[in-house]
Amino acid sequence: MDVLFYHLTESTLEEALPPLVEKSLERGWRVVIQTGTRERCEALDNWLWTWREESFLAHATDRDAHPEHQPVILTDAAANPNNARIRFFVDGADPAGVDGYERAVVMFDGHDAAQLDAARGHWKSLKSAGHAVTYWQQGPDRRWQKKA
């Protein structure tokens, strides 16, 4: 299984996450986004409804009715209520539960020392568990560049 590490250096999570989720949906994948805290889950829930003036990103939280019917679920737990094929781990969420997905994405803030240290530890443990890990960093133009 592929695990992609996305190192945010030029934009915020709120700017970088929605386009990646949209690309996942274009591939026909259902998505789970796991946050580090419930408060962050609720904040992203609100953000995804208004992130772009001309559209929104259809989603629900794991506390909403019928999560199994949703293309995108936000959660702070390890469950996969919508049978997603890709899982995003953001804001310090622990990517220990990557098995059963086609792809996992770990996004971390390059300006947060705790998130950097955690990402290094996750990289080592996921690589030693036999997952194919790749590292992507934003360039000055905010485009993703594969570094490892």
Side-chain angles (χ1 to χ4, degrees), residues 1-3 29-34 73 75 77-89 94-105 131:
M1 196 253 310
D2 295 329
V3 181
W29 293 348
R30 288 179 175 247
V31 177
V32 171
I33 302 168
Q34 183 176 340
I73 289 289
T75 185
N80 184 2
N82 66 342
N83 198 27
R85 293 174 60 195
I86 184 169
R87 187 174 196 100
F88 288 82
F89 296 91
D94 185 354
V98 298
D99 293 328
Y101 294 92
E102 197 162 317
R103 179 174 289 171
V105 177
H131 296 291

Side-chain angles (χ1 to χ4, degrees), residues 24-84:
S24 298
L25 293 171
E26 288 170 7
R27 290 181 171 202
W29 293 348
R30 288 179 175 247
V31 177
V32 171
I33 302 168
Q34 183 176 340
T35 60
T37 65
R38 191 75 217 173
E39 295 77 20
R40 194 66 171 115
C41 181
E42 292 168 5
L44 278 177
D45 177 30
N46 291 327
W47 171 251
L48 292 177
W49 288 117
T50 61
W51 79 279
R52 195 166 46 193
E53 203 170 297
E54 66 276 5
S55 70
F56 61 90
L57 190 56
H59 69 281
T61 73
D62 56 346
R63 293 185 179 175
D64 293 326
H66 307 291
E68 68 276 9
H69 299 299
Q70 301 298 326
V72 178
I73 289 289
L74 291 161
T75 185
D76 64 338
N80 184 2
N82 66 342
N83 198 27

